[in-house]
Structures are given as C-alpha cells and as structure tokens.
Amino acid sequence: MHALDPRTAGIMILASSTVFLFVKRWTTGSFLRGRPEGGFRLWFAHVFNLFFLLAVNPAVAILLVARRWGTLDPTVMDPGRTPLLSGLEMGGLLLCLTGNSLMCWALVAMRGHFQLLGTTPRPTDRLFVSGPYGLVRHPMYTSVLCLSLGLAFL
C-alpha cells in the first residue's frame, strides 16, 4: 500500500465490519432470518451477499492487518509511490467505510421491518422514504457496490 499503512486500513475495515455485524444483529435479531421464497436465484443472491459481507470483508481486513496483502494479488508489483495509487487507496478505504456505514444506517432505519430478498411483504410492512431511503432507493445494494469497488481500489 502506498498512502496508508496496511495495518491501519485493515483495522479500519475490520472495525467497520464489526460494527455492521452488531447493528445487523441488533436491528434484525439474527444474521440469517427466514428463507427467500423466490427459489434458487434469490437464495443464492442472499447467500452471496452475506458471504461477501460476513466473510470476504473481514478476511481482506485480516490480511491487511497481518501485512499479507500480497496474498490478495499474486501478481503484485511495486510500481512505486504515485499520487494516482495513493488516491485510489484512500478512495478505496473511504468507499469501504462509506459502504459499511450506509448498510448500518439502512438497517437501523428499517429496524424490525427488514426481510430477506424475495420474501412476501407482511401486512405491517411499510415503504421507507426517510433516512438513507430518502437519498437512494436501494441503500443496501448501494453499500455492497461501495464495498466491492472500495476493495478493488485497495
């Protein structure tokens, strides 16, 4: 890494992932709740999202903390310190932290109304138009995109 110590970046990602886990458990009551009703595609999408959020993010953070970032990219080359690389790394870390924060904000805004993708809405469910849902129609998808792009930049 060029702009930031890998341990610092890893600790920041690990801390924001830990906060996400606590917020998910607090707002929904569990990590996995229910089973999507839409068949294999929806089940696979849900499992993939959870795997990415609960396994890939912390794994990348741990590799950064352990200074094993070469494990992430076996073709790692040192092109030297350039402003572009430093900017991409800082932008990537910012995107990771933004993605985790947006996911937590969306879960807190929904509280007990969160349901899996493909689950039939309950009569008590309502359309959320405030908080992150007032800014972005799908803040959870946006947060996963931010996390993915942030990890790619890192």
Side-chain angles (χ1 to χ4, degrees), residues 20 24 27-34 46 50 53 103 106-117 119 122 125-126 128 133 140:
F20 163 72
K24 172 102 170 86
T27 57
T28 65
S30 71
F31 297 116
L32 282 171
R33 194 166 98 186
H46 180 67
L50 278 178
L53 291 170
M103 181 69 77
L107 286 169
V108 168
M110 288 179 56
R111 297 214 197 265
H113 295 280
F114 175 78
Q115 291 197 110
L116 297 178
L117 174 72
T119 306
R122 299 172 289 216
D125 288 340
R126 60 186 175 88
F128 288 88
Y133 293 90
M140 290 187 184

Side-chain angles (χ1 to χ4, degrees), residues 28-71:
T28 65
S30 71
F31 297 116
L32 282 171
R33 194 166 98 186
R35 185 175 178 96
E37 300 167 359
F40 178 75
R41 276 184 42 197
L42 288 176
W43 174 83
F44 182 78
H46 180 67
V47 169
F48 176 79
N49 286 340
L50 278 178
F51 174 74
F52 184 79
L53 291 170
L54 301 177
V56 173
N57 275 345
V60 168
I62 289 168
L63 287 171
L64 287 171
V65 169
R67 295 183 186 261
R68 302 286 300 171
W69 61 89
T71 308

Side-chain angles (χ1 to χ4, degrees), residues 1-18 56-69 72 85-98 100 147 150-151 153-154:
M1 300 195 75
H2 299 83
L4 198 59
D5 179 54
R7 285 190 175 171
T8 304
I11 289 169
M12 292 172 78
I13 293 170
L14 200 55
S16 67
S17 294
T18 303
V56 173
N57 275 345
V60 168
I62 289 168
L63 287 171
L64 287 171
V65 169
R67 295 183 186 261
R68 302 286 300 171
W69 61 89
L72 299 173
L85 288 177
S86 297
L88 285 174
E89 287 174 358
M90 293 302 289
L93 182 61
L94 182 64
L95 278 171
C96 284
L97 298 176
T98 301
N100 272 328
L147 286 166
L151 290 177
F153 283 178
L154 279 173

Side-chain angles (χ1 to χ4, degrees), residues 95 98-100 102-103 138-148:
L95 278 171
T98 301
N100 272 328
L102 183 60
M103 181 69 77
H138 299 290
M140 290 187 184
Y141 290 148
T142 304
S143 68
V144 170
L145 289 172
C146 284
L147 286 166
S148 302

